[in-house]
Amino acid sequence: MNDTFLKACRGEKTDYTPIWMMRQAGRYLPEYQKVRANFTFLELCKTPELCVEVTLQPVDILGVDAAILFSDILIPMEAMGAPLYFHEGRGPIFPEPVRTREALDRLIVPDPELHTGFVMETIRLLRKELKVPLIGFSGAPFTLATYLIEGGSSKVFWETKKMMFTQPDLFHSLMEKITACTSLYLQAQARAGAQALQIFDSWAGVLAPCDFEEFALPYVQKIISDLKATGLPIIYFANNGATLLELSVQSGADVLGLDWRIDIGDAVKVVGNRAVQGNIDPFALMLPKDKLRQRIGNLLHGARNAHGHIFNLGHGIHQFTPPDQAKIAIDAVHELSANHKYR
Ligand code: 1CP
């Protein structure tokens, strides 16, 4: 068992810096496309044997140090009773957005084994196959709320912020229900065998720090405190969150995920004795090999004082990235970090 990733999460010394990539199982891999060609995205998410196959692909093909469960952050929202489909091109759609007390009251707090048993089954199957740790995950309540309120992806978050500012009680009630669901969902993943848990707050960066503190952070804190008893490392990734980093430390997470907009050395000074994960610009994977290796060396050096560093991209790998470029980066992280010149 390669436990380098778990050691780094706990701030323990490692022989080299572990790496995995957000969205490492996905469309940039021809092997994923081949599986996906025969099924819709939701069919794929709900078939454990297929989820196992695509989860293993980046581990086998690229040699990453951790696997991330193949699923989607919106799966438990569908289980709450919000109809969901994925439009090829437009992404996720909730045709019945949650914008009223009545719509909120219709949502349930699902039993994770009963309503999302396929996720737990995927985890149990994966643990029999994997030689690297398995990361389970969820969305953070604010990010999940944006999808339910907007009815899908958004750029400006008009409906979300309108509810926050004009009906704060309704907004907080929705956040409480999503939080209850997410907390149970992650606890069930831990029981099924997940070895670390990442909370994705993809849209936290659209909030002013004061609004993040009032409307988003308390719910992340609640989930993380509920998870303490599992003993698993918790990673909190607030995308576009450089201006929220000091507050994000208060989430209680063991590892802070960083997007590429912040210098990793600066971030290390803010997070203190917590580990960091990140943070190369996903598009920098397109650099020529020597420049890519140089950038990776600089990043490793920048993180040398971290209380644990897990190398990752600053956000998900772009779907048109050639897998060979991802492989160059992974090999470079392993090779350069084993050399004391960099760490
Ligand atoms: O067409 C396809 O094959 C679907 C593309 C795809 C994939 C591969 C989607 C649709 N989701 C996923 C898998 C996925 N999603 C994983 C799998 C594990 C891995 O990382 O390898 C994970 C962790 C997610 C998480 C996820 N889904 C997030 C958080 C991370 C992030 O990127 O910020 C978000 C925001 C989603 C919602 C989502 N799922 C898919 C789409 C197109 C979207 C919308 C994104 C948006 O609103 O811009």
Side-chain angles (χ1 to χ4, degrees), residues 34-327:
K34 210 170 148 206
V35 176
R36 173 75 164 79
N38 302 312
F39 304 93
T40 67
F41 178 62
L42 278 178
E43 282 168 348
L44 181 52
C45 287
K46 293 178 185 180
T47 312
E49 291 72 18
L50 297 174
C51 289
V52 168
E53 184 177 347
V54 297
T55 301
L56 295 175
Q57 284 172 352
V59 181
D60 296 339
I61 298 165
L62 300 174
V64 285
D65 297 290
I68 181 159
L69 165 72
F70 188 84
S71 186
D72 196 84
I73 59 165
L74 301 176
I75 292 288
M77 299 302 96
E78 187 189 40
M80 288 181 83
L84 165 68
Y85 69 93
F86 279 83
H87 183 277
E88 303 288 333
R90 273 170 62 206
I93 313 266
F94 287 102
E96 297 168 31
V98 181
R99 296 179 190 165
T100 60
R101 179 66 62 178
E102 295 67 40
L104 167 59
D105 288 344
R106 281 196 294 273
L107 297 180
I108 61 159
V109 175
D111 175 325
E113 283 288 353
L114 206 62
H115 296 94
T116 48
F118 48 88
V119 172
M120 310 311 151
E121 181 59 13
T122 301
I123 294 174
R124 286 189 282 265
L125 292 172
L126 276 167
R127 281 302 305 279
K128 294 185 194 151
E129 304 272 335
L130 279 167
K131 305 270 187 299
V132 295
L134 175 62
I135 306 168
F137 71 89
S138 75
F142 176 74
T143 289
L144 295 172
T146 68
Y147 286 98
L148 289 179
I149 299 169
E150 303 292 334
S153 298
S154 177
K155 286 205 169 74
V156 291
F157 303 94
W158 167 252
E159 295 292 344
T160 305
K161 292 192 178 181
K162 191 171 77 175
M163 190 194 289
M164 260 171 54
F165 293 131
T166 65
Q167 295 179 278
D169 291 347
L170 179 61
F171 186 83
H172 280 296
S173 302
L174 173 60
M175 291 290 282
E176 270 168 31
K177 211 165 198 173
I178 296 172
T179 299
C181 165
T182 304
S183 178
L184 292 174
Y185 182 65
L186 289 174
Q187 289 175 61
Q189 290 188 34
R191 277 196 303 276
Q195 291 157 291
L197 297 166
Q198 174 152 327
I199 301 172
F200 285 93
D201 220 343
S202 305
W203 302 116
V206 304
L207 292 174
C210 61
D211 293 321
F212 176 73
E213 195 172 9
E214 178 176 349
F215 292 104
L217 181 63
Y219 301 97
V220 180
Q221 286 169 329
K222 163 78 175 126
I223 292 168
I224 293 177
S225 85
D226 289 351
L227 290 170
K228 274 288 168 246
T230 66
L232 300 186
I234 314 295
I235 309 164
Y236 175 57
F237 171 64
N239 181 38
N240 217 337
T243 51
L244 306 173
L245 189 56
E246 269 170 61
L247 287 169
S248 295
V249 170
Q250 296 175 27
S251 67
D254 306 284
V255 184
L256 277 305
L258 306 170
D259 69 78
W260 68 92
R261 298 165 189 89
I262 186 168
D263 176 82
I264 199 156
D266 292 343
V268 165
K269 287 183 201 138
V270 176
V271 307
N273 67 345
R274 295 169 193 276
V276 288
Q277 176 175 277
N279 70 341
I280 194 169
D281 182 340
F283 289 68
L285 292 180
M286 296 312 293
L287 283 166
K289 185 173 177 179
D290 55 335
K291 289 223 163 72
L292 178 54
R293 284 175 62 91
Q294 193 180 20
R295 186 177 281 228
I296 287 169
N298 290 343
L299 210 156
L300 290 167
H301 190 66
R304 69 194 175 285
N305 294 324
H307 186 76
H309 176 210
I310 299 114
F311 204 102
N312 206 315
L313 309 179
H315 202 178
I317 188 166
H318 188 269
Q319 71 171 112
F320 299 131
T321 311
D324 287 350
Q325 291 295 115
K327 178 77 178 136

